[in-house]
Amino acid sequence: MSVLEVKDLLISFNQYTSGLKQQQLNVISNLTITLEKGEILAVVGASGSGKSLLAHAILGILPSNANVSGTLRYDGEVLTPAKQASLRGSEIALIPQSVNYLDPLMRVGNQVRTSARVENPVTAQRKVFERLHLHENVEKMYPFQLSGGMARRTLLSTAIVSGAKVIIADEPTPGLDPVVIKEAMESFRELADSGCAVMLITHDIVSALSIADKIAVFYAGTTVEIAPVENFAGDGEALRHPYSKALWRALPQNDFIPIPGAQPHPGDLPPGCLFAPRCPLATPECDRGQPEMRTLRDGMVRCIHAT
Amino acid sequence: MQLEARNISFRYGNGPYLFRGVNVTVEQGEIVGLTAPSGRGKTTLCRILAGFEKPLEGSVTIDGIPVSSKGFHPVQLVLQHPEKAVNPRWKMEKVLSEGGKPDSELLSLLGIEKEWLTRWPNELSGGELQRFCVVRALNTNTRFLIADEMTTMLDAITQAQIWHAVLEVAKARGMGIIIVSHEEMLIQRLCDRVIELK
């Protein structure tokens, strides 16, 4: 059974334009995604496509000018703001994207211990630090004394010791060296194998491929494809959506050739398919409304031309 | 033209030495990768090369002459987090002007749209902001560019777009580049040689 279910999620922000005039910016639309027990779902896609917002919506920590509609369910129950407040940190843990989330006035060892809800917090913290190659004296340091990579590993540690059932990792690995990335990825796999559901938001498609079960590709605030990991191989011919293919081919180990253009701004979305203005397959039909997500070859895709 | 860091040592306050006796040379037009495990002082070394930090021992020279602390610094640094590298209370036009007036060709090469210039930094995505930081660093007086995890936070398409643009500029001007990255594949793809900091 799905432990976490997101259905038709829509997030918009009220923004002041000039004076007292406000406008609504739709930053996430029609987003549907499920997390299963024991499974790792990697979320990849364009920068600014709403990946972090999804994470924050699940935890109920969006800023106050955000409007959320659609349904979020945890273990079959609807997630209300009160429910979210009681679950976050205990049942649902977030590894935030920014290292600014560490408490600047607390030694990092203590920060990790406060989130440990299992066994002896001190041993749990030391064990996880050793695993992630953090030296013993790091636990006595304050965040400003850490390098970027050390701060990231501290954030990772808090989630690993939390004993949460759902872990949402928002870009946990940038700035880490390959050895530590491997350890981090293996810890995620172990958490999943012990029954956790893990959502891994990342740009590091290659690392994600080594541990994830499924990959969701985001573009301009919605999912364009959900594919099993095996599809990310070769020239990307097994992928369904033209954006996923372009993303795969732009990797340095593949062609490293980018498609031109940029993701549309939320205030200025195209009328139909959000990718149509950059799509090599686009036809006039594509402008007639956003395509629905449909099942195709063991995955899902939001494109009328995909085969 | 050659950028040379000779026998550099550094530590913060009375802490342990972050590194001692580090030597780095980069020739004009050369693209050099710099790798090391996290916490070994890669970013600090970059800051020393770009003149933001003074080394305790050793010297940084260009063609044998110490880099002047006055005027435009010929070594420019682009950081990993663009949102921390721009003044949040300035519109993008003003942010750009810190690095001199950029020509429109450079702007279009990096895919910056005219309309973005009147926006505030928080109204742009990380990828869009990073394009501005790159342009700001690419003044015509820039001889060496240091990219410290410059595209780590960006998706693969944006990463490839920015690197293609930067390489084009570097080639045209004979600019040297130091690339700090943990992404082995990116380093392999871009660099002429790699220095490993031990």
Side-chain angles (χ1 to χ4, degrees), chain B residues 138-154:
Chain B
L138 289 179
N139 182 289
T140 44
N141 295 315
T142 304
R143 298 287 171 257
F144 294 92
L145 184 76
I146 306 181
D148 185 5
E149 301 278 9
M150 182 170 80
T151 52
T152 308
M153 300 303 288
L154 307 178

Side-chain angles (χ1 to χ4, degrees), chain B residues 108-171:
Chain B
S108 67
L109 184 64
L110 273 142
I112 292 177
E113 288 175 34
K114 261 231 162 72
E115 180 240 343
W116 297 354
L117 292 172
T118 52
R119 294 226 192 121
W120 300 100
N122 67 1
E123 295 170 332
L124 293 170
S125 74
E128 289 162 357
L129 272 182
Q130 193 64 299
R131 291 164 201 261
F132 280 94
C133 294
V134 171
V135 170
R136 183 174 61 175
L138 289 179
N139 182 289
T140 44
N141 295 315
T142 304
R143 298 287 171 257
F144 294 92
L145 184 76
I146 306 181
D148 185 5
E149 301 278 9
M150 182 170 80
T151 52
T152 308
M153 300 303 288
L154 307 178
D155 64 86
I157 293 177
T158 313
Q159 163 168 284
Q161 283 178 340
I162 290 181
W163 274 116
H164 280 283
V166 168
L167 293 183
E168 198 176 317
V169 173
K171 205 166 177 198

Side-chain angles (χ1 to χ4, degrees), chain A residues 47 153 177 252 254 256 259 261, chain B residues 38 153 155 161 164 182 189:
Chain A
S47 327
R153 282 179 269 170
D177 54 75
N254 297 336
F256 201 51
I259 53 164
Chain B
S38 78
M153 300 303 288
D155 64 86
Q161 283 178 340
H164 280 283
H182 286 298
R189 170 69 75 167

Side-chain angles (χ1 to χ4, degrees), chain B residues 30-98:
Chain B
E30 198 182 22
I31 302 178
V32 179
L34 180 67
T35 63
S38 78
R40 278 307 148 78
K42 293 186 297 294
T43 297
T44 306
L45 182 61
C46 291
R47 288 176 56 84
I48 290 172
L49 290 173
F52 289 105
E53 210 82 61
K54 274 213 155 76
L56 280 179
E57 294 161 13
S59 62
V60 179
T61 57
I62 290 185
D63 285 343
I65 304 161
V67 184
S68 161
S69 57
K70 291 199 181 100
F72 190 85
H73 202 287
V75 183
Q76 289 288 315
L77 180 60
V78 181
L79 302 162
Q80 181 179 348
H81 298 285
E83 63 279 10
K84 289 189 194 170
V86 299
N87 187 331
R89 297 180 183 211
W90 284 358
K91 287 199 173 172
M92 294 319 296
E93 214 162 4
K94 193 166 176 193
V95 169
L96 265 189
S97 66
E98 279 183 292

Side-chain angles (χ1 to χ4, degrees), chain A residues 170-245:
Chain A
D170 191 359
E171 299 274 6
T173 55
L176 297 184
D177 54 75
V179 181
V180 180
I181 291 183
K182 192 159 168 278
E183 288 290 346
M185 291 295 149
E186 279 166 9
S187 333
F188 286 134
R189 190 66 255 175
E190 278 166 28
L191 287 167
D193 291 343
S194 68
C196 278
V198 180
M199 183 193 279
L200 174 65
I201 300 171
T202 185
H203 287 306
D204 186 356
I205 299 179
V206 182
S207 295
L209 288 180
S210 67
I211 54 148
D213 299 289
K214 285 186 300 194
I215 297 202
V217 184
F218 272 44
Y219 185 79
T222 195
T223 34
V224 293
E225 174 165 354
I226 296 172
V229 282
E230 308 83 74
N231 292 163
F232 287 81
D235 275 343
E237 59 276 349
L239 292 170
R240 293 156 193 78
H241 198 280
Y243 176 71
S244 322
K245 292 183 188 197

